[in-house]
Amino acid sequence: MSDGAQKPPGPGCRAVDVVRGYADRDAIAVRDALTGLDAVAWQEMYAVLNGLLHSTVSIIEVTGTRWTTGQLVEHADEVATAAPPHYEFAVAEAARAWAGGDRSALSALPGRDPLGAVHVTAAFVAALGLVLWGRTRFLGVLTAYDETVAAIVDGRPSGL
């Protein structure tokens, strides 16, 4: 690689790309963000996504943002359309379970199906972000997340 060539984004930054793909309901962007990655990279992506999930939930708790189960389920159903068909139902079911107080649906997949855990968690982060910030503001938040992840995971300057 020459000095001028850029290295491709690592799994950490691609994790944010997957969330953005779900927020945009763009199945091609979701697929492209996962192309060429292996099980180790999926686990790294899941770790970043899990951090984004916890951050988003913490913001909801700290701000006291009110949302209804219907809002979360509606956004989850919308973003799930970007998932591969065999994960679309899992995304919708995990959102329904979580909204009903069952947090185990989001933590059950990593050991059994790392790629499924990536899809479900990314889609869920997108659904929560849409509930919390709305589409335009959430896409801005994802840009900030992307810069932060790049700085932490990939060792690139964040510009923050």
Side-chain angles (χ1 to χ4, degrees):
M1 189 181 274
S2 73
D3 289 341
Q6 291 199 351
K7 79 178 196 180
C13 288
R14 287 202 201 181
V16 178
D17 292 341
V18 173
V19 174
R20 188 178 289 107
Y22 275 114
D24 287 337
R25 295 182 301 252
D26 184 345
I28 294 170
V30 169
R31 183 198 66 211
D32 289 350
L34 298 170
T35 298
L37 300 178
D38 60 14
V40 172
W42 296 334
Q43 290 176 352
E44 184 179 328
M45 286 181 84
Y46 176 73
V48 171
L49 291 168
N50 203 31
L52 295 177
L53 174 63
H54 289 292
S55 295
T56 305
V57 169
S58 293
I59 290 168
I60 288 171
E61 291 171 350
V62 167
T63 61
T65 301
R66 300 282 183 220
W67 50 272
T68 67
T69 299
Q71 288 171 309
L72 179 61
V73 169
E74 178 183 336
H75 285 298
D77 287 347
E78 289 172 3
V79 301
T81 62
H86 52 285
Y87 291 123
E88 186 173 352
F89 181 73
V91 169
E93 285 303 300
R96 283 170 174 73
W98 194 90
D102 178 8
R103 306 302 195 246
S104 67
L106 286 173
S107 59
L109 283 172
R112 291 192 324 248
D113 183 2
L115 182 56
V118 165
H119 280 289
V120 170
T121 307
F124 191 71
V125 168
L128 278 176
L130 292 168
V131 166
L132 180 60
W133 290 291
R135 180 172 165 61
T136 302
R137 287 179 51 212
F138 182 53
L139 292 176
V141 168
L142 286 177
T143 298
Y145 274 162
D146 201 18
E147 291 172 355
T148 301
V149 170
I152 294 170
V153 176
D154 294 333
R156 290 184 265 157
S158 70
L160 295 176

